[in-house]
Amino acid sequence: MPPQDAPVSPLCALCREFADDVIRFAFTQPDEYPASSRRWLKDRAFDCGYLPWKDGFRHHDDLASLAASAQAGCALCCIVHNELAPFGPDDCKGFVVFHPFSNFTFRFRDSPSMQFRPAPWIEQPRLYEFCQRHSRLPGVTFEDPAFWRGHIDPWRGSHAIPGDGASEDVFETARWWLKSCVETHGDVCKRPVAPLPRRVVDVGVDDSCNPSLYISAGEYEPCAILTHCWGGGIPFKTTKATLQHRIKGMEVSQLPKNFQDAVAITRRLGLRYVWIDALCIIQDDPADWRREAAKMADIYAAGTVTISALDSPSSETGILHRRQALPEVVLSSEYTVRRQPRTFERVLADCPLNTRSWCLQEKLLSPALLHFGSQQIFWECRYQKTPEVAPTVHPKYNPPVGVRPFMGVEKYVPPEGPFWALWYDVVEAFSMRDLTFVTDKLPAIAGVGARFRQQNGGGTYAAGLWVEDLAQGICWGPAWDHLRLPARKAAGFDRCEVLRKPSVAIAPSWSWASVDGRVSFFASNGPWDFTILSVDMVDHDDLMAERSRGTLTIQGRFARVWYLPDSHAADVHQNIGRLVLKDDGNVYFTGAMLDLERDKKKECWAMVASARGPGSFTGFLLFEEQGSHFVRIGFCNEQRTLTVDMDKFAEMTITVV
């Protein structure tokens, strides 16, 4: 990330010609090339793969000439050589071609490995982009009225990224995003009118003030919220013994680095208060923790903005730091070419914050988040997602109907509800994440449950599921990774999640919360071939229960079966078994997934879950008899339609614990 006054990079004659032409063409593929531009190639063979190459510029003739130019000091040749040389001389065949008009990429013309791009859902290699050298609109400052008149400058591509994450340019962009969201996004991003949380950190008016813990008196003031990874114990937190000391004031230097930066960010956004869980909840007071944790839905929903520490794995890592450098070449006084930063979706998928269960709730409930990543900041609200490299480009979600109750869940639902499928999307995302304390599993999603019930128009909670849609809710199983797409749930491809038994029993066996690991809800909307006659819960409708106990009484069709593991599976992730009816070994169902011990043969019961026409069905719930009760041990997601003698299944009424 060269400074804006850095000199133009040294370029060889070919790279100079390429750069001058692309700038002259305004980075848009022309219909015809000037006669003087003889190196531009129009060839239908370049339009291949999922993303078209479009026209190409003929560069160096072979690997040796590319290497010589890089060694002689051409900055762009050096980048290209570093990217392509690892393929090896046997794969670097033909001449080098630059393709600048879709995404800027390059390849050897006759290299088989470089001919086609992989599938579009896989991160693309060797993608670069042309950027303006300024990091915000030229000559426009935060105070300039042009910022608030919807001004969009003619450049629609990327901007420079300041190398320092704490630079004023970064915060000019962040303040603009926040102001635009609050003032122009209307009801889509409207924050509820709510008083400050019970305790907040007062950051003061400037850096000369020490922050202090403030006991609010019901004031209606803007407030930032921090979402971050604890990364283990935090030495500086509020306890019964330290509460009064926190109220009197806190030395900034004594705070964990994440908290120091959260204080600085809050001030630079123009806000006075920030809510930080470790400081605003008394950590050794169970009653205070339970009371304040139960309010998290309201706290995050009413926050002006949530400060998201994406790439900080612990409280001591910090949020504001030098950015991760990207290969970049200065082409002219106005433009550079730079490797594309990671997309927002890729950053979210890989960042430490995305591994923590509590942090999902904080994201889902917030009206707007300012994400701090290792390469750039991102803005996310219910109206838009915007990266720092393109701060004035606003791709809208713009749902035609319905509402978007949870941030980051790409599902629109009718405003009148009910929308149970939304809950299953949330649980699937939640189950991917980790907890420090196993007993936090249900409390860590309680705030989302409270908001869901409010948006859904009601619902009776039972161990992480909803009684009104429990037939669908108990049809879960280990999640599939299909072609690196977690949303795909087709059995038979790639890897199946290995679930684990928690060290402490958290929920009944029929609830997804009874296991650790990523789950998916397979069956969809029935028709169901069983009936839940009653639900009896010890902790009736308690969202904050740390341990949930209860039974289901189910009437359905059952048969004794053998579960047979796949003896040829390469590993446990691919061990998907089948079910064989005990008295007819020739009839079986594939796609059987035990929650635990998938590699062991087991005698068990099968229950028809979802029937599709007379004698054919696609889903089983598996139960193991335990005294007079049954325990769920797995799920079968049969993908084929089979005709089965239903006389093999008998009507029964059972109790599942």
Side-chain angles (χ1 to χ4, degrees):
M1 302 174 190
Q4 294 180 23
D5 58 354
V8 174
S9 302
L11 299 176
C12 68
L14 286 177
C15 288
R16 183 74 269 161
E17 178 183 347
F18 168 76
D20 290 346
D21 280 355
V22 170
I23 294 171
R24 181 157 50 101
F25 301 153
F27 308 97
T28 303
Q29 180 172 301
D31 295 330
E32 297 293 337
Y33 294 94
S36 59
S37 301
R38 298 183 179 181
R39 286 192 167 268
W40 288 96
L41 306 172
K42 297 185 75 67
D43 186 344
R44 290 184 179 274
F46 290 144
D47 284 339
C48 55
Y50 289 95
L51 295 176
W53 295 113
K54 296 191 175 181
D55 290 354
F57 179 89
R58 180 166 180 158
H59 198 242
H60 285 289
D61 289 335
D62 50 38
L63 179 60
S65 56
L66 175 65
S69 180
Q71 189 172 8
C74 175
L76 187 52
C77 283
C78 186
I79 282 179
V80 175
H81 181 265
N82 289 343
E83 293 273 11
L84 300 185
F87 282 86
D90 292 340
D91 211 11
C92 295
K93 298 178 179 179
F95 54 83
V96 178
V97 185
F98 285 180
H99 299 282
F101 297 126
S102 179
N103 291 288
F104 175 35
T105 190
F106 33 82
R107 62 190 178 113
F108 278 94
R109 177 68 174 84
D110 298 328
S111 168
S113 300
M114 304 179 200
Q115 284 290 341
F116 298 96
R117 294 171 187 255
W121 52 78
I122 299 176
E123 191 172 18
Q124 304 291 315
R126 306 189 310 279
L127 290 188
Y128 282 70
E129 60 188 2
F130 299 102
C131 311
Q132 284 195 335
R133 295 183 63 179
H134 56 75
S135 56
R136 62 174 188 265
L137 299 182
V140 179
T141 64
F142 177 69
E143 294 79 11
D144 195 312
F147 249 45
W148 319 115
R149 291 200 297 264
H151 174 82
I152 302 295
D153 82 317
W155 173 256
R156 302 297 293 180
S158 293
H159 292 253
I161 307 174
D164 185 354
S167 74
E168 183 58 17
D169 278 3
V170 172
F171 282 93
E172 289 281 6
T173 299
R175 289 192 291 265
W176 177 38
W177 282 337
L178 177 58
K179 183 176 177 68
S180 297
C181 179
V182 171
E183 296 186 0
T184 68
H185 292 179
D187 290 341
V188 176
C189 295
K190 185 177 182 180
R191 284 76 169 162
V193 178
L196 287 172
R198 183 181 184 187
R199 306 181 192 95
V200 290
V201 176
D202 182 349
V203 302
V205 294
D206 55 42
D207 293 345
S208 66
C209 304
N210 279 329
S212 61
L213 192 63
Y214 176 67
I215 310 300
S216 69
E219 300 96 324
Y220 290 81
E221 295 288 343
C223 182
I225 314 289
L226 175 65
T227 178
H228 69 115
C229 294
W230 280 41
I234 298 179
F236 197 98
K237 55 191 176 185
T238 298
T239 62
K240 294 176 183 177
T242 62
L243 176 61
Q244 294 305 315
H245 296 285
R246 305 286 182 260
I247 293 173
K248 291 178 181 178
M250 297 171 276
E251 289 285 344
V252 172
S253 60
Q254 295 180 357
L255 295 174
K257 193 66 172 67
N258 280 4
F259 298 178
Q260 294 182 34
D261 288 347
V263 168
I265 293 167
T266 301
R267 287 171 178 162
R268 297 183 70 177
L269 290 176
L271 303 176
R272 179 71 180 262
Y273 302 103
V274 59
W275 188 88
I276 301 174
D277 49 8
L279 297 179
C280 298
I281 299 176
I282 303 175
Q283 297 298 312
D284 60 350
D285 185 337
D288 189 78
W289 183 90
R290 183 180 176 89
R291 180 173 55 250
E292 295 303 307
K295 298 176 183 177
M296 281 192 180
D298 296 331
I299 291 173
Y300 279 90
T304 305
V305 62
T306 296
I307 300 165
S308 170
L310 288 181
D311 288 306
S312 299
S314 75
S315 62
E316 294 291 351
T317 309
I319 305 171
L320 302 175
H321 44 66
R322 294 291 304 176
R323 259 72 180 278
Q324 185 182 86
L326 294 167
E328 190 164 6
V329 175
V330 179
L331 300 178
S332 70
S333 60
E334 293 184 74
Y335 301 106
T336 72
V337 63
R338 174 186 66 207
R339 178 185 286 168
Q340 284 190 0
R342 290 181 301 161
T343 65
F344 181 48
E345 289 71 23
R346 179 62 58 182
V347 169
L348 285 184
D350 297 339
C351 70
L353 194 67
N354 208 40
T355 66
R356 307 306 302 170
S357 296
W358 279 103
C359 297
L360 176 67
Q361 174 169 263
E362 295 158 4
K363 172 184 171 66
L364 293 176
L365 297 173
S366 299
L369 297 105
L370 180 59
H371 299 284
F372 286 82
S374 61
Q375 295 177 342
Q376 60 176 316
I377 59 172
F378 302 91
W379 179 263
E380 184 179 18
C381 63
R382 296 194 177 103
Y383 184 83
Q384 70 188 48
K385 288 187 291 189
T386 310
E388 186 181 352
V389 294
T392 61
V393 178
H394 299 325
K396 300 180 182 178
Y397 288 118
N398 215 11
V401 294
V403 295
R404 192 166 175 265
F406 295 126
M407 183 70 66
V409 176
E410 303 301 327
K411 183 184 290 292
Y412 301 114
V413 294
E416 67 276 6
F419 35 88
W420 306 109
L422 182 64
W423 179 254
Y424 305 126
D425 282 1
V426 169
V427 170
E428 288 180 357
F430 181 82
S431 68
M432 298 171 63
R433 297 176 175 233
D434 302 323
L435 283 163
T436 302
F437 304 106
V438 65
T439 53
D440 281 356
K441 177 174 286 189
L442 291 174
I445 202 172
V448 183
R451 179 168 175 80
F452 176 84
R453 176 153 54 191
Q454 179 187 40
Q455 295 285 324
N456 198 44
T460 306
Y461 194 71
L465 295 169
W466 300 93
V467 171
E468 291 79 2
D469 195 51
L470 205 52
Q472 166 70 65
I474 62 176
C475 290
W476 55 270
W480 278 95
D481 278 321
H482 176 57
L483 298 177
R484 301 177 72 177
L485 277 178
R488 292 291 296 275
K489 302 171 187 175
F493 298 94
D494 298 330
R495 296 163 61 84
C496 183
E497 179 80 357
V498 175
L499 302 178
R500 304 171 302 281
K501 185 177 182 179
S503 57
V504 176
I506 297 300
S509 67
W510 43 265
S511 168
W512 60 270
S514 64
V515 296
D516 289 339
R518 186 158 62 91
V519 300
S520 287
F521 292 83
F522 290 94
S524 178
N525 300 323
W528 308 114
D529 208 52
F530 65 95
T531 303
I532 298 176
L533 301 177
S534 66
V535 184
D536 299 299
M537 302 298 298
V538 174
D539 50 340
H540 179 73
D541 208 22
D542 184 359
L543 290 165
M544 285 296 294
E546 293 185 354
R547 302 184 188 183
S548 183
R549 292 179 296 160
T551 62
L552 303 183
T553 302
I554 298 178
Q555 183 180 43
R557 289 181 289 179
F558 296 80
R560 283 193 176 275
V561 297
W562 283 102
Y563 164 80
L564 303 179
D566 182 359
S567 59
H568 301 292
D571 59 40
V572 68
H573 295 91
Q574 297 175 346
N575 197 331
I576 307 304
R578 66 185 188 273
L579 303 179
V580 177
L581 294 176
K582 191 174 180 183
D583 59 351
D584 185 354
N586 295 321
V587 178
Y588 65 89
F589 312 95
T590 60
M593 300 166 284
L594 292 191
D595 298 338
L596 308 168
E597 299 181 328
R598 293 210 300 261
D599 59 341
K600 296 180 180 180
K601 179 180 178 180
K602 185 180 289 287
E603 182 183 1
C604 53
W605 289 83
M607 184 191 82
V608 181
S610 178
R612 294 184 180 179
S616 61
F617 43 87
T618 59
F620 288 88
L621 290 172
L622 308 182
F623 299 92
E624 182 179 58
E625 192 172 12
Q626 190 177 76
S628 60
H629 293 160
F630 284 68
V631 175
R632 174 215 152 95
I633 61 171
F635 188 76
C636 179
N637 186 36
E638 172 59 65
Q639 294 295 299
R640 298 173 298 169
T641 300
L642 301 175
T643 299
V644 179
D645 183 0
M646 295 308 296
D647 290 339
K648 303 289 185 180
F649 291 79
E651 288 282 347
M652 294 172 56
T653 299
I654 66 168
T655 299
V656 187
V657 295

